[in-house]
Amino acid sequence: MSRLWEKGLPLDARVLRYTAGEDHFLDDRLVAADVRGSIAHAEMLAAQGYLDTDDCQSIAEGLKQLLADHEAGKWQIRLEDEDVHTALETRLTELIGEAGGRVHLGRSRNDQVLTALRLYLRDATAEVGEHVAALCDAMQELADRQGDIDLPGTTHMQHAMPSTVALWSGGFTEAFTDAIEGLVAARRRIDKNPLGSGAGYGTPGLDLDREATTRKLEFAATQSPVTAVQLSRGKAEAGLLFELSLLMQDLGRLSTDLLLFYTQEYRYIELAPEVTTGSSIMPQKRNPDVLELVRGAAGTVQACLSECLLIMAKLPSGFQRDLQRIKAPVFRAIDLTIESVDIMAYLVSTVNFLPDNIRLGDELYATEEAYKLVASEGIPFREAYRRIAEQLQK
Amino acid sequence: MSRLWEKGLPLDARVLRYTAGEDHFLDDRLVAADVRGSIAHAEMLAAQGYLDTDDCQSIAEGLKQLLADHEAGKWQIRLEDEDVHTALETRLTELIGEAGGRVHLGRSRNDQVLTALRLYLRDATAEVGEHVAALCDAMQELADRQGDIDLPGTTHMQHAMPSTVALWSGGFTEAFTDAIEGLVAARRRIDKNPLGSGAGYGTPGLDLDREATTRKLEFAATQSPVTAVQLSRGKAEAGLLFELSLLMQDLGRLSTDLLLFYTQEYRYIELAPEVTTGSSIMPQKRNPDVLELVRGAAGTVQACLSECLLIMAKLPSGFQRDLQRIKAPVFRAIDLTIESVDIMAYLVSTVNFLPDNIRLGDELYATEEAYKLVASEGIPFREAYRRIAEQLQK
Amino acid sequence: MSRLWEKGLPLDARVLRYTAGEDHFLDDRLVAADVRGSIAHAEMLAAQGYLDTDDCQSIAEGLKQLLADHEAGKWQIRLEDEDVHTALETRLTELIGEAGGRVHLGRSRNDQVLTALRLYLRDATAEVGEHVAALCDAMQELADRQGDIDLPGTTHMQHAMPSTVALWSGGFTEAFTDAIEGLVAARRRIDKNPLGSGAGYGTPGLDLDREATTRKLEFAATQSPVTAVQLSRGKAEAGLLFELSLLMQDLGRLSTDLLLFYTQEYRYIELAPEVTTGSSIMPQKRNPDVLELVRGAAGTVQACLSECLLIMAKLPSGFQRDLQRIKAPVFRAIDLTIESVDIMAYLVSTVNFLPDNIRLGDELYATEEAYKLVASEGIPFREAYRRIAEQLQK
Amino acid sequence: MSRLWEKGLPLDARVLRYTAGEDHFLDDRLVAADVRGSIAHAEMLAAQGYLDTDDCQSIAEGLKQLLADHEAGKWQIRLEDEDVHTALETRLTELIGEAGGRVHLGRSRNDQVLTALRLYLRDATAEVGEHVAALCDAMQELADRQGDIDLPGTTHMQHAMPSTVALWSGGFTEAFTDAIEGLVAARRRIDKNPLGSGAGYGTPGLDLDREATTRKLEFAATQSPVTAVQLSRGKAEAGLLFELSLLMQDLGRLSTDLLLFYTQEYRYIELAPEVTTGSSIMPQKRNPDVLELVRGAAGTVQACLSECLLIMAKLPSGFQRDLQRIKAPVFRAIDLTIESVDIMAYLVSTVNFLPDNIRLGDELYATEEAYKLVASEGIPFREAYRRIAEQLQK
């Protein structure tokens, strides 16, 4: 965000800034997940005899305290902390003493990061789903309110056959419902426990119980062999970004429809004043900025998917630091999607169709007429079609 | 492929060339799927009383004949046919007479195209999965053959901890197994029956039985409402392209590893002569072109995903002709993926690790030593870590 | 195109198919450029004393003969030839005997490919420019024909201020003129002579005159040091693809405008029957498929740019075979752009604005009124704006 | 950054948050450019008689004061301000009274934004160029210091022909020099004056002198017709992003080379401790994180290019609010590029090649030997090549 090169920093500080990047900002949202993962790890260590019960308890309590303090705004991750993991470990050791250093046994930052990230992604995926469900409700409410109004059904943007607000709205509701199912399906790759894979080659010399943390953290499976973990990094993220991209594309297409309906030439709908904005030089205008910004946001989210795939591409197996750069587009896409879904649900609730402005010509019924001719006279459709076409051209 | 503008075509011919595009090439692979969809539609029409049983039977037999002839190379889709659907309908009418015109009742090209495409995608997805399974076998066979050989496990491309050929290979096998599961999951969006949605607004005036074609064509569900069908176009395709992109990324990363192992500086492996190529000016060289081409192919497949998403973006709802352009990147990606998977399976079967060239230094065991110190002395990991680090620096 | 895996090819044949790929198709368009590059190379060799004058002359005549034969359809590049370079060298040696083997002295396929490609790209870039110039003419002709017709100038797709067909059309003409200038600028990276860099490390032991081939082939500069050549591969291509992407985006946006103008709700324009198509089930419709396909083509061309950049990304320096995969998207984008520009120029020439359907309300003149108030009364614009806004709300 | 949906904001506040987005953050860097553009506009208004000289002077002085205050940290753009333009106008009116309202005469936020953005982009482009020049110096300094050391020149990552550190480094220096020239060329699209185009349809009723602001702001040309301005929005940005993408790709490829050289298997180089980082569980390791992060950053910058093109795609002509979303990826890419170039220049200055670890086999000289045979015996290259190949296989 700020421009580092202007700051005349000493060189070492620049290296820190470059390598830590935005992590101290970004990782704020990972505190709860990292605390959860660390407690599960400590409890497993204790069960395996690598940590005594008192230490385990003080680690768990200390971490919970730090989480509560963080949520209360009492501390933040600083650049010097580099990331959420170091920030927590440092503060834990300050809080409970030497035992704080024992939680990292049998764990690398590589599997720790991924554990926190997947726990977070699981929650975020569910959260996006809930917001989309509210959007479905808004579409349904619109259908309940004005579903009977006739609309021209179009192909190639040309009037084709009769449709209704209910049918139009129902198409999008199916799309959003499908998006929710897609989000659920995206959990498949999220739901693999990386904990215990260490830096990617396991923890030789220690007898860890990976299944125990899988159960504690409610993962569906333990990812194995250990070398699979770092190789898979970015895939769960990409899977979520793909689903968000499709979802945002539907929001973009809904925006396109509504922007069309809102033109003076169509004026099929009106929008509430609070979701439109004024112009700085044209007194008379009410602009549908929200819809345009949603349409643009779909481009941003799709670019986040590209960014994630680009970062992973062609890397040798084993952890590579490049993978750290995946967090930013993932968080950017999640936030922007939720904001866009919310604002769209609100906007949809203010849409008012204006039936007086919507006209369906007789020609829209041509196919139906041809079908009736087939049913009544038993002639082939092509012949019925030709006959109706002739009538219409008269 | 050919450059139209050089041909001095009359204007109308140019419009045909531009609108039909490469369809007459591309659609060759859709003949079987379109025949299958058309027969299901005809049988449903007959059951609903819109087609008499004899006509239905001659339609089904005619279509099967045309399919057999096509597979025998007796006819091809021509530019003048525009696409597979017109090609089949025209030839069917020539073959069986007037009844051929009766199959299009209650069907638009819009739902017909999508039906054929989804049937094809379902088969293609299964087919890709089979090829990937063969690649898994090749990886496993390598692990069986040379799995015990030690490899340095790396992070940041630096020796980190001890690994083996089995562990290295097992990571990729998990990735490819995950890809197969991903392909299965991608069928969710493919497996919705579009038939009966007509041009996107149903078939008013006709009483069609959409569930019947869903059963006949073994779709998992009937897509509804009818307006959902065209809005969903491209999503099943994008879902498959996303899975192919992840799969190809793994192939690309496997290539990166093998290219590294094959350098003179590593020389961890040798490759069979038949998967390497010579140089036009350097007599001594054997080049691993196949691996480079696979790595490059991953970029092409990822671009196919982008292309599909770009084409769908921001379109109004209802059918738009832009969507026709999705076929080319989908077919391109499927073909390139299968070819790349196959060639990689073959190459992997020729990989020979050269254990004499692989050296693991003592420092790779530092973490394991630290773990043992923790287990034996009960000191915190951080302290054990410091102690080992000091020993290593001596 | 064809699906290799279905053919039951022996393994070695598959490796050839995979490594040669589509080159034997794609390279057809490079024959002229490769002949030109080879003759320049041979003449330089002769001038430096590495080739006697008779051999040089028979090489030049042989190559010209092969080019003429190729243009006459007498031979084509076959899969077994692998690429244009081998195809020509093999046939040259058949034609003129042993001397044919002397032209490759001091040249690698790496610099040879790039020379042919840049010569081709230079011509293709000029050719695209000419087609765009014809599109500018079509836009200008429309402005001459119907420029005086009023149009609502819109922002946010809302009527904002008065405009005209001439202003609307003039915006696109500026865009296309800018595209032509962009194409000219894209030649900067094309216009560097790679010949003489060999496989990327020069031709030690030979005294070649690189400046001589630079002059003969009319390159602007000799690319040096020799290691720069392979590192730059893909950049000239990407530069051209970027310009084609911007150009196609403008064509896509022009399509969006025209599709809007062509809806029943606007009906600002009519299109000639020969650039519209009929429907398979709706007798009454004339669909603007061409415009939709152009809009979709913009997505394809943008994906070609992504593909090119993806293939280059992260490669070690020095030639890598991945780079061969850049040719396909470059040729795909050039062809599709020229076809789209041509069809759009033709379509634009048939556009007929229908002034009776275009209505500009009084409110479009609000800004102008406010400006006049400022000019006449000397009040701040914000006050004039408020006063006009009040009048409009009455 | 922050997650809006968690904040329980009232609906109107959400609309503001969604439409203003991150502008109040992003626009901080546009204050100087907007002040410069506004003063030029005010002076032009005064010269045309629309503003009296005293007002013009107090506007200019007020804006300069606000700029100085902003740089001194005395005020920042707040969310309520929405953007830099409103922030400045509001504060100007507070500072100098009613005259502050007069500067917006004959100007829309649409042309004002674009003017500020282009002035900023012009400066940023020059600034990136300076940083790249420093990187060229670092590469050159490395060549001066260790250029004579032999390196194997590779193709396909295989030893091919002899090279040197100077040749290797010189290839990248040419690439970075080319990037600087590319940045200069990218100014062509930046250097068009949008001011005076208003909302995209000019300023009917006012007699503005657009050439005057073109001169004052040192633009190369006045963009016209007025409708061209909004249609071009995003193109200058995309042009810069394209150049940054190519530049970052070269940085990524330099990283790939150095990461290879830094592996234990190569160990061609050592890196200074301050540009490497330690491991959390492996005491012995020094990791080249900086290089990996630079390689990853190339993916991010390429995604910014895609994002920009995606946002522009398919929009109707005339201003659309989507275009606001282009700012974020542009600023993201500029910042990340400058940081990456800087850190790489620093890292390159610490690279130390270790000649004892670099071995070039005799076979690297095979091509040179073949060339000598041709020169001495006059035999065709193909024959000399075969003879050397036979010797090497003995």
Side-chain angles (χ1 to χ4, degrees), chain A residues 155-156 158-159 260 262 264-265 268 279-282 285 287 292 310-311 313-314 367 382 385, chain C residues 155-156 158-159 260 262 264-266 268 279-282 285 287 292 310-311 313-314 367 382 385:
Chain A
T155 61
H156 310 268
Q158 298 294 303
H159 288 199
L260 209 58
Y262 187 66
Q264 275 95 337
E265 285 76 4
Y268 283 10
S279 157
S280 69
I281 64 164
M282 291 164 289
K285 287 187 67 192
N287 293 322
E292 297 168 288
L310 279 162
I311 290 170
K314 306 186 193 180
T367 305
R382 293 291 180 218
Y385 177 108
Chain C
T155 62
H156 310 268
Q158 297 294 304
H159 288 198
L260 208 58
Y262 188 66
Q264 276 93 338
E265 286 76 5
Y266 279 72
Y268 283 9
S279 156
S280 71
I281 65 163
M282 290 164 288
K285 286 187 67 192
N287 293 323
E292 297 169 288
L310 280 161
I311 290 170
K314 304 185 194 181
T367 305
R382 292 293 180 217
Y385 177 107

Side-chain angles (χ1 to χ4, degrees), chain D residues 227-247:
Chain D
T227 42
V229 171
Q230 294 304 321
L231 194 61
S232 73
R233 191 158 172 187
K235 285 189 204 172
E237 293 88 332
L240 175 55
L241 288 171
F242 174 72
E243 292 296 329
L244 297 182
S245 294
L246 283 194
L247 166 59

Side-chain angles (χ1 to χ4, degrees), chain B residues 310-363:
Chain B
L310 278 162
I311 291 170
M312 300 159 64
K314 305 185 191 181
L315 295 186
S317 65
F319 173 73
Q320 316 287 330
R321 186 72 182 264
D322 321 45
L323 297 164
Q324 169 186 299
R325 291 209 177 273
I326 291 176
K327 269 193 298 191
V330 170
F331 295 172
R332 195 190 306 138
I334 291 171
D335 291 359
L336 189 54
T337 299
I338 293 182
E339 289 170 23
S340 300
V341 167
D342 278 6
I343 209 93
M344 188 59 106
Y346 174 41
L347 185 142
V348 163
S349 76
T350 80
V351 166
N352 185 37
F353 276 86
L354 306 168
D356 290 349
N357 296 342
I358 307 173
R359 275 173 294 274
L360 277 67
D362 289 343
E363 74 283 3

Side-chain angles (χ1 to χ4, degrees), chain B residues 152 154-161 256 259-260 262-268 277-289 292 295 309-315 322 359 363-364 366-367 370-371 381-382 385-386 388-389 392-393, chain D residues 152 154-161 256 259-260 262-268 277-289 292 295 309-315 322 359 363-364 366-367 370-371 381-382 385-386 388-389 392-393:
Chain B
T154 60
T155 63
H156 309 268
M157 297 177 74
Q158 297 294 304
H159 288 199
M161 291 177 65
T256 297
L259 284 165
L260 209 58
Y262 187 66
T263 59
Q264 275 94 337
E265 286 77 3
Y266 279 71
R267 204 48 103 205
Y268 283 9
T277 59
S279 157
S280 70
I281 64 164
M282 290 165 289
Q284 81 284 3
K285 286 187 68 194
R286 296 303 305 169
N287 294 322
D289 298 54
E292 298 169 286
R295 185 175 56 184
L309 292 171
L310 278 162
I311 291 170
M312 300 159 64
K314 305 185 191 181
L315 295 186
D322 321 45
R359 275 173 294 274
E363 74 283 3
L364 289 189
T367 305
Y371 283 153
F381 176 70
R382 291 295 180 217
Y385 179 107
R386 271 189 299 274
I388 301 292
L392 279 171
Q393 279 166 4
Chain D
T154 59
T155 62
H156 309 269
M157 296 178 75
Q158 298 293 305
H159 289 199
M161 291 176 64
T256 297
L259 284 164
L260 208 59
Y262 187 66
T263 58
Q264 276 93 337
E265 286 75 5
Y266 280 71
R267 207 46 103 206
Y268 283 9
T277 60
S279 157
S280 71
I281 64 163
M282 290 164 289
Q284 80 286 1
K285 286 186 67 192
R286 297 302 306 170
N287 294 322
D289 298 55
E292 297 169 287
R295 187 175 54 183
L309 292 172
L310 279 161
I311 291 170
M312 298 158 65
K314 305 184 193 180
L315 296 185
D322 321 45
R359 275 174 296 275
E363 73 283 3
L364 290 188
T367 306
Y371 284 153
F381 175 70
R382 290 294 180 217
Y385 177 108
R386 272 191 298 272
I388 301 293
L392 280 170
Q393 279 166 5

